[in-house]
Amino acid sequence: MSAILEVRNLKKHYPIRKGLFSKQVGAVKAVDGVTLSVERGETLAVVGESGCGKSTTGRAILRLIEPTDGEVFFEGKDVRKLPPEELRRFRTDMQMVFQDPYASLDPRWTVQRTLEEPLLTHHKLGKNELKSRIEELMEVVGLSPYQAHRFPHEFSGGQRQRIGIARALALNPKFIVCDEPVSALDVSIQAQVLNLMQDLQEQFGLTYMFISHDLSVVKFISDRVAVMYLGKVVELAPTSELFTEALHPYTKALMSAVPVPDPNVQKERIVLGGDVPNPENPPPGCTFHTRCRYVKDECRSVIPELREISPGRQVACHLY
Ligand code: SF4
């Protein structure tokens, strides 16, 4: 496998301005130096609590928001330096599936219009070509082409997410950022949509970045997992290894909350004390030190770098 996407030291800081002249007095460090790569054809999950910067990372990679700093290489090209024409092409290669399919679909548009929009913006298709492409997209996500003239409110939540997926597929992308794509759906429907996404990945050779806070979903869908805390990746590992033996104390705490199917297996639940610190004013040193049960002096002042400690396993912690 080779990397389709490489992200180096990506940052997204939101300035805090105050006073009459809107002077910048600080910054909310939503993403603060994320480095990771995504292999072609794999699913990399990005997990963490709400506010850890996982969605902002996905949006900054796609340039839906402009990063403050860092590099994003897609198929070897730095997307932050692409001229307008290449950026247009890049936009067709990378797509996004959003969390709330109802909010991300225009309620005044039929499915047909929703799917037509990207096709007409990027390709010159004749009327018949457009019609057959829309029929094809609907079939591929398990919807009937007869439903093309319906509006979003006429569909169930799962069907609406299928429309969102069809829209993301319209331009034959290579890479899709899936931002909590099933968290708004009933559990019974989640499995259907996840299965569909896996089938589509195989059928079209897609690469996914799968953003989620739900570890059971992540275990099911991903090949590797990046764990984020306060805007940084603190651990990156193959999914099976992470679920067998988490290394970073924060990952251990997250994992301890995952239910075990075997009632004979006793697992210690690690409850994290305190809240996630304010990203406006993160703690010095290791940003997790205010909640870590293994904290030592060094942790309060020295930032632990994300380092490879065995093939494919990276962790940012002074214990390793
Ligand atoms: Fe805990 Fe220190 Fe490791 Fe941070 S660096 S996770 S505070 S042991």
Side-chain angles (χ1 to χ4, degrees):
M1 285 211 284
S2 63
I4 190 169
L5 179 86
E6 278 196 56
V7 177
R8 293 185 198 152
N9 202 22
L10 187 71
K11 293 184 182 171
K12 180 64 192 176
H13 294 178
Y14 292 97
I16 305 162
R17 299 182 190 280
K18 279 200 180 130
L20 191 58
F21 299 105
S22 297
K23 191 168 169 259
Q24 186 174 341
V25 292
V28 174
K29 296 172 179 170
V31 177
D32 197 24
V34 164
T35 296
L36 50 82
S37 63
V38 188
E39 305 295 320
R40 200 177 286 276
E42 80 164 341
T43 299
L44 175 77
V46 181
V47 305
E49 290 163 290
S50 164
C52 70
K54 51 192 191 306
S55 292
T56 311
T57 301
R59 283 175 162 75
I61 287 171
L62 297 188
R63 285 190 65 183
L64 297 178
I65 51 174
E66 208 46 50
T68 309
D69 200 3
E71 294 166 314
V72 178
F73 289 92
F74 183 73
E75 296 191 315
K77 288 188 180 156
D78 187 346
V79 300
R80 296 195 62 205
K81 293 186 181 144
L82 289 180
E85 191 43 46
E86 278 198 63
L87 183 62
R88 239 173 89 82
R89 205 171 327 129
F90 156 79
R91 293 228 180 273
T92 68
D93 283 341
M94 294 172 99
Q95 292 290 319
M96 186 146 186
V97 173
F98 296 90
Q99 174 178 7
D100 182 349
Y102 201 58
S104 67
L105 298 173
D106 190 324
R108 299 161 305 170
W109 286 9
T110 61
V111 179
Q112 169 151 344
R113 175 132 192 239
T114 300
L115 298 181
E116 260 176 17
E117 201 249 358
L119 292 167
L120 291 173
T121 310
H122 290 271
H123 298 299
K124 289 191 181 76
L125 293 184
K127 208 173 158 196
N128 288 339
E129 280 175 306
L130 197 60
K131 186 168 175 281
S132 63
R133 179 70 179 136
I134 289 168
E135 284 176 5
E136 186 187 2
L137 283 167
M138 291 190 72
E139 275 168 2
V140 109
V141 297
L143 293 171
S144 163
Y146 295 113
Q147 298 169 309
H149 297 286
R150 294 195 185 162
F151 291 91
H153 74 267
E154 297 177 77
F155 293 91
S156 67
Q159 287 175 321
R160 282 198 288 262
Q161 195 53 296
R162 286 172 192 264
I163 300 167
I165 294 169
R167 182 181 54 187
L169 290 176
L171 299 170
N172 292 320
K174 297 173 181 168
F175 176 74
I176 302 182
V177 174
C178 314
D179 189 4
E180 302 267 12
V182 295
S183 59
L185 305 176
D186 289 348
V187 176
S188 56
I189 308 296
Q190 286 188 356
Q192 293 172 13
V193 173
L194 291 172
N195 282 327
L196 170 69
M197 292 180 71
Q198 279 191 327
D199 291 347
L200 295 171
Q201 181 171 39
E202 213 174 290
Q203 195 176 347
F204 299 112
L206 297 168
T207 305
Y208 291 145
M209 175 179 272
F210 195 97
I211 296 164
S212 179
H213 69 279
D214 185 336
L215 289 168
S216 14
V217 167
V218 164
K219 188 176 183 186
F220 176 77
I221 194 108
S222 65
D223 300 300
R224 290 189 306 139
V225 185
V227 182
M228 282 189 73
Y229 185 77
L230 268 187
K232 291 183 195 298
V233 174
V234 295
E235 183 160 6
L236 210 158
T239 308
S240 55
E241 291 182 34
L242 195 85
F243 278 82
T244 317
E245 193 198 7
L247 297 178
H248 194 282
Y250 176 60
T251 320
K252 284 183 200 255
L254 287 184
M255 290 294 167
S256 77
V258 179
V260 188
D262 184 348
N264 297 319
V265 175
Q266 293 290 322
K267 205 161 78 162
E268 186 204 358
R269 176 83 202 263
I270 305 168
V271 180
L272 290 176
D275 293 327
V276 179
N278 186 348
E280 221 178 279
N281 188 19
C286 171
T287 51
F288 186 59
H289 84 247
T290 51
R291 304 169 84 194
C292 180
R293 52 157 78 176
Y294 306 101
V295 61
K296 43 187 185 166
D297 278 353
E298 184 188 15
C299 308
R300 297 180 218 277
S301 55
V302 183
I303 299 172
E305 296 296 327
L306 185 68
R307 285 187 303 121
E308 184 154 52
I309 54 148
S310 62
R313 292 212 73 167
Q314 296 176 26
V315 62
C317 173
H318 293 309
L319 296 178
Y320 301 95

